[in-house]
Amino acid sequence: MLAYIWAEDLHHQIGFQGHLPWYLPADLAHFKRVTQGYPMIMGRKTFASLPGILPGRPHYVLTSSSEYDQKYATDSRVKIFHTTKQLVAFNQSDNQLKFIIGGASLFAAFADQVDLLYVTKIAAAFKGDVKMPPLPWSEFDLIWAKKGRQDQQNKYPHQFKLYSRRTSKLSLTTLEKYANS
């Protein structure tokens, strides 16, 4: 089972020069709370943008570089994949929830397979060079929305939202669990 988690601005920007275009601690805390204990799938650039290996979450990295095979060969926290086909087969090997956290090409590649969308909508515009690809929004229902608190550290108005694909086989109890993550 796949979920996406990302934050975007008013123009669907999600990245700038290999990093988030904004600093929003509430979103970082939300990301940590929601993904804690679940595998995270990401591309090489997203992996490189992290401050290090995030605790409590296996990291599955899609890259064509064999350098990563050697670098993380003995690190059980990181699993390297070289093709989308390998990643699809691995994902289908169990029913565990896995989060795709970026980049844009992975979001586009799995748009027809994702069950849950966790999005932080930031009501501001930023300079960016990576946009969230179009998603089949008509296939999803809003399950949960919560306005984020704006304060001195969280300067931008923002809202956390969870969407579920209508054809998903997730029960109401399961959706409530994910909504309360």
Side-chain angles (χ1 to χ4, degrees):
M1 181 170 30
L2 284 177
Y4 288 178
I5 187 166
W6 80 98
E8 67 178 30
D9 77 353
L10 290 170
H11 302 292
H12 309 290
Q13 297 291 347
I14 62 172
F16 182 63
Q17 297 180 346
H19 299 285
L20 294 174
W22 50 78
Y23 178 66
L24 192 61
D27 179 56
L28 298 174
H30 173 72
F31 176 87
K32 180 180 181 180
R33 185 175 52 256
V34 170
T35 61
Q36 191 67 41
Y38 296 103
M40 298 183 311
I41 299 169
M42 65 203 84
R44 177 193 54 80
K45 290 178 186 175
T46 299
F47 183 59
S49 75
L50 298 177
I53 296 175
L54 304 179
R57 296 157 271 195
H59 294 51
Y60 300 152
V61 182
L62 179 63
T63 178
S64 59
S65 173
S66 59
E67 168 190 327
Y68 282 76
D69 290 324
Q70 296 165 349
K71 187 172 182 179
Y72 295 100
T74 60
D75 193 332
S76 63
R77 303 170 299 173
V78 179
K79 184 166 179 53
I80 304 299
F81 295 89
H82 293 289
T83 67
T84 304
K85 189 175 180 177
Q86 286 177 324
L87 200 49
V88 168
F90 180 77
N91 181 53
Q92 293 174 343
S93 69
D94 64 37
N95 201 29
Q96 180 182 16
L97 179 65
K98 298 171 190 78
F99 282 90
I100 293 182
I101 67 169
S105 61
L106 273 177
F107 288 134
F110 288 91
D112 63 337
Q113 298 172 42
V114 65
D115 294 297
L116 298 171
L117 305 173
Y118 287 86
V119 57
T120 302
K121 296 279 197 171
I122 303 170
F126 297 87
K127 187 173 183 179
D129 55 17
V130 180
K131 284 189 174 201
M132 185 66 182
L135 294 173
W137 286 103
S138 63
E139 297 176 21
F140 290 86
D141 289 322
L142 179 65
I143 301 301
W144 175 84
K146 181 181 177 185
K147 185 177 178 181
R149 190 170 47 122
Q150 203 173 342
D151 57 29
Q152 285 204 338
Q153 289 190 331
N154 297 284
K155 297 180 182 192
Y156 312 105
H158 59 285
Q159 189 173 36
F160 305 107
K161 295 184 175 190
L162 171 61
Y163 295 84
S164 176
R165 189 181 292 270
R166 284 191 194 103
T167 58
S168 174
K169 294 180 176 67
L170 295 170
S171 70
L172 184 57
T173 305
T174 302
L175 284 171
E176 287 172 353
K177 173 187 156 191
Y178 293 136
N180 294 319
S181 295

